[in-house]
Amino acid sequence: MALLPVLCYPDPRLHKVAKPVAQVDERIQKIVADMAETMYEAPGVGLAATQVDIHECIVVIDVSDDQNELMVFINPEIIWASPEKKSWREGCLSAPDYYDEVERPSEIRVKALDIKGKEFELDADGLLAVCLQHELDHLQGKVFVEYLSILKRSRISQKMKKRAKELESQR
Ligand code: ZN
């Protein structure tokens, strides 16, 4: 397994649209293992392949308290969303140390393939529903800060660019 570098907003590669996985084979399983390792190391509760510059529809999530319940979603699709919405304070490994409120449907049903390529459906609410919608957005090339005002977004861009420069100078 290997840790993968995570792209940081406003990197244009975060806006690429991921392609569906044609076959869940060893190559995909290795990507999943590396993504899981990267997510746990960060630590984060979710990671989309887009964030590690792999433009295929793969998401890993673990919202458990002990970070020992890995969930894998290949070619995930939201097949139902509740009309009720809820606002959560979201964060993202691609926008480190920034959190803001985003309103999304409070419950969703998702269809996806598991790590063996078997189709499953899942009903999600609470943090899992938020996390799934956030990660599925990444696969469409959308970062959560794009729900915020233009002013906030430009501030975040500046902050992230500054942060990247500081990290660069520490090397
Ligand atoms: Zn994110």
Side-chain angles (χ1 to χ4, degrees):
M1 296 210 289
L3 286 178
L4 306 167
V6 177
L7 301 178
C8 213
Y9 186 82
D11 193 308
R13 290 171 290 180
L14 285 169
H15 301 307
K16 283 193 190 176
V17 177
K19 290 198 177 74
V21 170
Q23 202 189 345
V24 182
D25 52 15
E26 265 179 44
R27 184 183 69 87
I28 297 297
Q29 286 159 354
K30 179 168 188 315
I31 292 173
V32 167
D34 289 345
M35 283 175 61
E37 193 185 351
T38 305
M39 173 183 75
Y40 286 127
E41 174 71 22
V45 293
L47 186 71
T50 311
Q51 293 176 275
V52 289
D53 203 20
I54 296 171
H55 302 282
E56 296 182 73
C57 293
I58 308 169
V59 162
V60 294
I61 288 178
D62 191 338
V63 291
S64 68
D65 289 338
D66 297 328
Q67 294 256 282
N68 58 2
E69 289 168 36
L70 179 67
M71 302 175 94
V72 177
F73 300 85
I74 297 166
N75 298 345
E77 252 179 87
I78 294 173
I79 53 174
W80 175 81
S82 66
E84 302 81 46
K85 294 192 171 182
K86 203 174 156 103
S87 186
W88 281 76
R89 208 168 143 75
E90 296 188 20
C92 180
L93 295 179
S94 295
D97 304 324
Y98 186 82
Y99 301 88
D100 214 327
E101 300 272 331
V102 176
E103 192 185 64
R104 301 181 186 271
S106 55
E107 286 174 56
I108 53 165
R109 177 170 297 152
V110 168
K111 185 174 88 172
L113 302 178
D114 69 12
I115 186 73
K116 288 179 178 146
K118 196 168 161 274
E119 192 177 291
F120 69 98
E121 283 186 17
L122 178 80
D123 290 316
D125 61 8
L127 177 60
L128 180 58
V130 174
C131 195
L132 270 165
Q133 292 175 82
H134 177 119
E135 302 310 334
L136 266 65
D137 275 351
H138 275 303
L139 299 179
Q140 297 299 317
K142 186 163 183 174
V143 182
F144 87 105
V145 299
E146 287 163 65
Y147 288 101
L148 309 174
S149 68
I150 291 175
L151 182 67
K152 273 188 181 175
R153 252 186 283 159
S154 75
R155 279 199 201 128
I156 297 162
S157 282
Q158 306 254 307
K159 204 171 139 183
M160 295 302 150
K161 282 177 187 162
K162 196 173 157 227
R163 190 178 177 277
K165 253 187 211 156
E166 279 165 9
L167 286 177
E168 192 67 36
S169 67
Q170 281 166 20
R171 264 178 212 152

